[in-house]
Amino acid sequence: MILPDLAAILVLSDASFTEMHERQRRTAVRRLWVTALVLCPVIAGGPEAQAQATESAQTMDSPSDDDVQASRRRRRASVPAEVSTNRVLQVEFGYNGDFWSDTLDAAQAATLSLNYSATPDILIEFSHDNLAVQSPRGGSTTGGVGNAYLGVQYTVSNEDERRPSLGLSYQLTVPTGSRSAGISTGGYWHRATLLLSKDVGEVTYDANASALLNDLGAGAAVLGGVQGVLSASRVVRGRAGVQLEIEGQSRDADEPRGVFVSSALTYQASPTWQWDIGFRMGLTSSAPRAGAFVGVTRAVNVGRRPRP
């Protein structure tokens, strides 16, 4: 039931949208909110399960609950250079949409992401577009399972007073999406990134520079490209934070080709829960005119006490 409900919400730009579809969409929204409210306590584990998890995680070489900090990754273009946690699993679920490009009225996806910090310096990432929907200009809307993303990040050096933190990352896009529906090209895409991060006062700056290699599949050409991202973020009041980003890339990858500026609001409901919502605007003719993203992140301490 959940996937049809998501499809009803995501397909917003279909030209054949009718009043009946609008009623179905509203019903789907209500169902998803009910589902989310039911699942949140289950994910959190309830008081007893949460107490057991806390007790089993209190070790000398594992992070305490106070050290576990949720932070969104998949829905931001920039990536911080430092992993900063050890044996923490972050589960993210989010929606991302881009609207009014040269070829598409809308490209939307509902994504599940798993990020695991195997060590304080190594992060393993997996993301999958569980549902991807595309609405071509002058064409019919298509949808289905999207692509998968596998990645690894390594912190080379941590920040000090004089220099920023330095990291390296690699991401592979696996073409699990439908090529006939236009969701995937059928080829594997690669991205290698240099990561820099620095705290200046209360503001955190992240800068990324990436090399892109896109295989278009079926014996087609392999195209190279570049990507650059600069962001600034800070806590503005209590648990609320803001982030500003500017990004640009010469090839379609996990983000569309073009130059964008985006802003986001975050809310740290607890050390292990974070919500975020944001909007972006295209600055070049090739970029989608507008975009939006929203999601929730849950951090789970998976450290275990050695048996006596």
Side-chain angles (χ1 to χ4, degrees), residues 106-127:
Q108 304 171 88
T111 304
L112 173 68
S113 300
L114 303 175
N115 304 311
Y116 176 63
S117 53
T119 75
D121 297 322
I122 298 176
L123 183 76
I124 301 171
E125 300 178 283
F126 169 79
S127 298

Side-chain angles (χ1 to χ4, degrees), residues 218-237:
V222 177
L223 303 177
V226 293
Q227 180 190 52
V229 187
L230 178 64
S231 75
S233 59
R234 63 163 296 175
V235 175
V236 291
R237 185 175 182 180

Side-chain angles (χ1 to χ4, degrees), residues 172-191:
L172 172 67
T173 299
V174 182
T176 55
S178 170
R179 182 170 184 173
S180 60
I183 297 174
S184 173
T185 65
Y188 291 84
W189 292 5
H190 309 265
R191 182 177 68 182

Side-chain angles (χ1 to χ4, degrees), residues 10 95-99 106-110 133 255 278 280 288 290-294:
L10 293 176
Y95 160 81
N96 185 78
D98 292 297
F99 305 94
Q108 304 171 88
V133 178
E255 298 290 342
R280 59 178 163 266
F293 51 89
V294 63

